[in-house]
Amino acid sequence: MAADDTLSTPPPGPSTPTVPETLSEEQAERMFAEMNEIIRAGEETRRLRTEMIRLLARSGWSQEKIAQLAGMSQPAVSKQVTKYKSDRSADTPPPTVDLSLDQNDTPWLEGRLWGLAEEISAAGPDSARCTRFLHAIARGRKRFTPQTVDELRRLVEDDLLRHRTELPGGYRAAYDRISRGLDVPAPVSPPGPTSSPAPVSPPGLVPTPGQPGTAATAPAPASVRRALARQVQRDHLRHSG
């Protein structure tokens, strides 16, 4: 009897899945979106670092110390400081930056909220609802806008309610103060008369609890005030327990 040839004949059509020759539009879009997030976050962080270098230099910190703390070469730090001096008019004394905790301008309050959220996340990174939001901020997927600040406020309040027996009472008190300030923005005061800058205290950015903040003679952008308030708030919560 003749052998059955049908058993050795492959079925019609390709025997293996077709491998696409290139990425799909959706795949490429996701990849570029992720790369753009990282690039944008990096550019914003570099700008913030530049402002902080200038702030510290105007506060009396030596370029050697700034370079050491920032992990940069002294010539790179010197370049940033020199550029600021050449850009600023010598006839316009810069206002001071107050580092006291309770201030009512929006960037400062946003920074305090940011710092509070980070301390809540550090206390329970796997259970805090605000953790994912903080990751998005770090990656550049979210920025501080009225809408995102409202979102963060809701997440922080929910975490405070869900973990009220675990978190120190000072966390809730800080949130209540921040929330009241954000609900009623402080009026913008006209600039006061120009005067010579006050003598600079010994170098130091974040005051220890119970001590006045070190004033830095700098017209700080919103991003810098937000970053300063974030650090001041975190240190205050850690020291106050």
Side-chain angles (χ1 to χ4, degrees), residues 67-83:
Q68 176 189 351
L69 296 176
M72 299 171 63
S73 67
Q74 186 179 342
V77 170
S78 180
K79 180 179 178 181
Q80 297 292 347
V81 175
T82 301
K83 185 177 185 301

PDB file of all heavy atoms in Angstrom, residues 67-83:
ATOM      1  N   ALA A  67      30.678  73.161  45.175  1.00  0.00           N
ATOM      2  CA  ALA A  67      31.135  72.150  44.225  1.00  0.00           C
ATOM      3  C   ALA A  67      31.207  70.778  44.888  1.00  0.00           C
ATOM      4  O   ALA A  67      30.817  69.763  44.303  1.00  0.00           O
ATOM      5  CB  ALA A  67      32.498  72.546  43.660  1.00  0.00           C
ATOM      6  N   GLN A  68      31.688  70.750  46.125  1.00  0.00           N
ATOM      7  CA  GLN A  68      31.801  69.483  46.852  1.00  0.00           C
ATOM      8  C   GLN A  68      30.424  68.861  47.074  1.00  0.00           C
ATOM      9  O   GLN A  68      30.220  67.667  46.842  1.00  0.00           O
ATOM     10  CB  GLN A  68      32.500  69.714  48.192  1.00  0.00           C
ATOM     11  CG  GLN A  68      32.573  68.472  49.071  1.00  0.00           C
ATOM     12  CD  GLN A  68      33.081  68.794  50.465  1.00  0.00           C
ATOM     13  OE1 GLN A  68      33.542  69.904  50.749  1.00  0.00           O
ATOM     14  NE2 GLN A  68      32.979  67.839  51.365  1.00  0.00           N
ATOM     15  N   LEU A  69      29.462  69.670  47.530  1.00  0.00           N
ATOM     16  CA  LEU A  69      28.130  69.155  47.834  1.00  0.00           C
ATOM     17  C   LEU A  69      27.370  68.766  46.571  1.00  0.00           C
ATOM     18  O   LEU A  69      26.606  67.797  46.574  1.00  0.00           O
ATOM     19  CB  LEU A  69      27.335  70.200  48.618  1.00  0.00           C
ATOM     20  CG  LEU A  69      27.882  70.562  50.002  1.00  0.00           C
ATOM     21  CD1 LEU A  69      27.069  71.682  50.622  1.00  0.00           C
ATOM     22  CD2 LEU A  69      27.891  69.335  50.915  1.00  0.00           C
ATOM     23  N   ALA A  70      27.579  69.524  45.492  1.00  0.00           N
ATOM     24  CA  ALA A  70      26.852  69.263  44.251  1.00  0.00           C
ATOM     25  C   ALA A  70      27.510  68.197  43.395  1.00  0.00           C
ATOM     26  O   ALA A  70      26.931  67.764  42.393  1.00  0.00           O
ATOM     27  CB  ALA A  70      26.720  70.555  43.444  1.00  0.00           C
ATOM     28  N   GLY A  71      28.724  67.769  43.766  1.00  0.00           N
ATOM     29  CA  GLY A  71      29.424  66.784  42.962  1.00  0.00           C
ATOM     30  C   GLY A  71      29.861  67.350  41.627  1.00  0.00           C
ATOM     31  O   GLY A  71      29.856  66.648  40.611  1.00  0.00           O
ATOM     32  N   MET A  72      30.267  68.620  41.632  1.00  0.00           N
ATOM     33  CA  MET A  72      30.674  69.301  40.405  1.00  0.00           C
ATOM     34  C   MET A  72      32.087  69.833  40.573  1.00  0.00           C
ATOM     35  O   MET A  72      32.606  69.904  41.691  1.00  0.00           O
ATOM     36  CB  MET A  72      29.715  70.467  40.097  1.00  0.00           C
ATOM     37  CG  MET A  72      28.279  70.057  39.876  1.00  0.00           C
ATOM     38  SD  MET A  72      27.162  71.485  39.777  1.00  0.00           S
ATOM     39  CE  MET A  72      27.813  72.318  38.308  1.00  0.00           C
ATOM     40  N   SER A  73      32.687  70.223  39.450  1.00  0.00           N
ATOM     41  CA  SER A  73      33.996  70.861  39.530  1.00  0.00           C
ATOM     42  C   SER A  73      33.806  72.321  39.927  1.00  0.00           C
ATOM     43  O   SER A  73      32.767  72.922  39.643  1.00  0.00           O
ATOM     44  CB  SER A  73      34.714  70.776  38.186  1.00  0.00           C
ATOM     45  OG  SER A  73      34.045  71.562  37.203  1.00  0.00           O
ATOM     46  N   GLN A  74      34.811  72.885  40.572  1.00  0.00           N
ATOM     47  CA  GLN A  74      34.713  74.290  40.954  1.00  0.00           C
ATOM     48  C   GLN A  74      34.590  75.215  39.735  1.00  0.00           C
ATOM     49  O   GLN A  74      33.821  76.181  39.783  1.00  0.00           O
ATOM     50  CB  GLN A  74      35.898  74.709  41.823  1.00  0.00           C
ATOM     51  CG  GLN A  74      35.739  76.130  42.366  1.00  0.00           C
ATOM     52  CD  GLN A  74      36.892  76.537  43.237  1.00  0.00           C
ATOM     53  OE1 GLN A  74      37.643  75.698  43.710  1.00  0.00           O
ATOM     54  NE2 GLN A  74      37.041  77.846  43.447  1.00  0.00           N
ATOM     55  N   PRO A  75      35.323  74.958  38.623  1.00  0.00           N
ATOM     56  CA  PRO A  75      35.119  75.813  37.450  1.00  0.00           C
ATOM     57  C   PRO A  75      33.675  75.811  36.946  1.00  0.00           C
ATOM     58  O   PRO A  75      33.176  76.841  36.488  1.00  0.00           O
ATOM     59  CB  PRO A  75      36.074  75.221  36.413  1.00  0.00           C
ATOM     60  CG  PRO A  75      37.157  74.593  37.228  1.00  0.00           C
ATOM     61  CD  PRO A  75      36.468  74.041  38.433  1.00  0.00           C
ATOM     62  N   ALA A  76      32.998  74.658  37.026  1.00  0.00           N
ATOM     63  CA  ALA A  76      31.600  74.602  36.586  1.00  0.00           C
ATOM     64  C   ALA A  76      30.711  75.445  37.488  1.00  0.00           C
ATOM     65  O   ALA A  76      29.806  76.141  37.024  1.00  0.00           O
ATOM     66  CB  ALA A  76      31.116  73.157  36.561  1.00  0.00           C
ATOM     67  N   VAL A  77      30.967  75.381  38.794  1.00  0.00           N
ATOM     68  CA  VAL A  77      30.208  76.208  39.736  1.00  0.00           C
ATOM     69  C   VAL A  77      30.501  77.677  39.498  1.00  0.00           C
ATOM     70  O   VAL A  77      29.604  78.529  39.465  1.00  0.00           O
ATOM     71  CB  VAL A  77      30.533  75.810  41.190  1.00  0.00           C
ATOM     72  CG1 VAL A  77      29.939  76.810  42.178  1.00  0.00           C
ATOM     73  CG2 VAL A  77      30.021  74.405  41.481  1.00  0.00           C
ATOM     74  N   SER A  78      31.776  78.002  39.322  1.00  0.00           N
ATOM     75  CA  SER A  78      32.176  79.392  39.092  1.00  0.00           C
ATOM     76  C   SER A  78      31.510  79.953  37.839  1.00  0.00           C
ATOM     77  O   SER A  78      31.106  81.124  37.809  1.00  0.00           O
ATOM     78  CB  SER A  78      33.694  79.482  38.969  1.00  0.00           C
ATOM     79  OG  SER A  78      34.103  80.812  38.739  1.00  0.00           O
ATOM     80  N   LYS A  79      31.358  79.142  36.823  1.00  0.00           N
ATOM     81  CA  LYS A  79      30.723  79.590  35.577  1.00  0.00           C
ATOM     82  C   LYS A  79      29.278  79.988  35.828  1.00  0.00           C
ATOM     83  O   LYS A  79      28.805  81.016  35.306  1.00  0.00           O
ATOM     84  CB  LYS A  79      30.800  78.472  34.542  1.00  0.00           C
ATOM     85  CG  LYS A  79      30.171  78.828  33.209  1.00  0.00           C
ATOM     86  CD  LYS A  79      30.300  77.670  32.228  1.00  0.00           C
ATOM     87  CE  LYS A  79      29.634  78.009  30.900  1.00  0.00           C
ATOM     88  NZ  LYS A  79      29.743  76.883  29.942  1.00  0.00           N
ATOM     89  N   GLN A  80      28.567  79.194  36.635  1.00  0.00           N
ATOM     90  CA  GLN A  80      27.171  79.513  36.933  1.00  0.00           C
ATOM     91  C   GLN A  80      27.059  80.806  37.729  1.00  0.00           C
ATOM     92  O   GLN A  80      26.192  81.648  37.470  1.00  0.00           O
ATOM     93  CB  GLN A  80      26.528  78.363  37.717  1.00  0.00           C
ATOM     94  CG  GLN A  80      26.461  77.049  36.984  1.00  0.00           C
ATOM     95  CD  GLN A  80      25.505  77.079  35.803  1.00  0.00           C
ATOM     96  OE1 GLN A  80      24.703  78.000  35.654  1.00  0.00           O
ATOM     97  NE2 GLN A  80      25.601  76.082  34.945  1.00  0.00           N
ATOM     98  N   VAL A  81      27.924  80.985  38.714  1.00  0.00           N
ATOM     99  CA  VAL A  81      27.880  82.176  39.553  1.00  0.00           C
ATOM    100  C   VAL A  81      28.240  83.421  38.739  1.00  0.00           C
ATOM    101  O   VAL A  81      27.591  84.472  38.847  1.00  0.00           O
ATOM    102  CB  VAL A  81      28.828  82.027  40.755  1.00  0.00           C
ATOM    103  CG1 VAL A  81      28.884  83.316  41.565  1.00  0.00           C
ATOM    104  CG2 VAL A  81      28.388  80.850  41.630  1.00  0.00           C
ATOM    105  N   THR A  82      29.266  83.312  37.902  1.00  0.00           N
ATOM    106  CA  THR A  82      29.696  84.448  37.087  1.00  0.00           C
ATOM    107  C   THR A  82      28.612  84.862  36.102  1.00  0.00           C
ATOM    108  O   THR A  82      28.375  86.056  35.891  1.00  0.00           O
ATOM    109  CB  THR A  82      30.983  84.095  36.323  1.00  0.00           C
ATOM    110  OG1 THR A  82      32.002  83.739  37.256  1.00  0.00           O
ATOM    111  CG2 THR A  82      31.451  85.266  35.483  1.00  0.00           C
ATOM    112  N   LYS A  83      27.928  83.891  35.517  1.00  0.00           N
ATOM    113  CA  LYS A  83      26.869  84.204  34.565  1.00  0.00           C
ATOM    114  C   LYS A  83      25.748  84.965  35.254  1.00  0.00           C
ATOM    115  O   LYS A  83      25.179  85.913  34.702  1.00  0.00           O
ATOM    116  CB  LYS A  83      26.331  82.930  33.928  1.00  0.00           C
ATOM    117  CG  LYS A  83      25.304  83.194  32.822  1.00  0.00           C
ATOM    118  CD  LYS A  83      24.866  81.896  32.176  1.00  0.00           C
ATOM    119  CE  LYS A  83      23.943  82.176  30.985  1.00  0.00           C
ATOM    120  NZ  LYS A  83      22.741  82.937  31.375  1.00  0.00           N
TER     121      LYS A  83
END
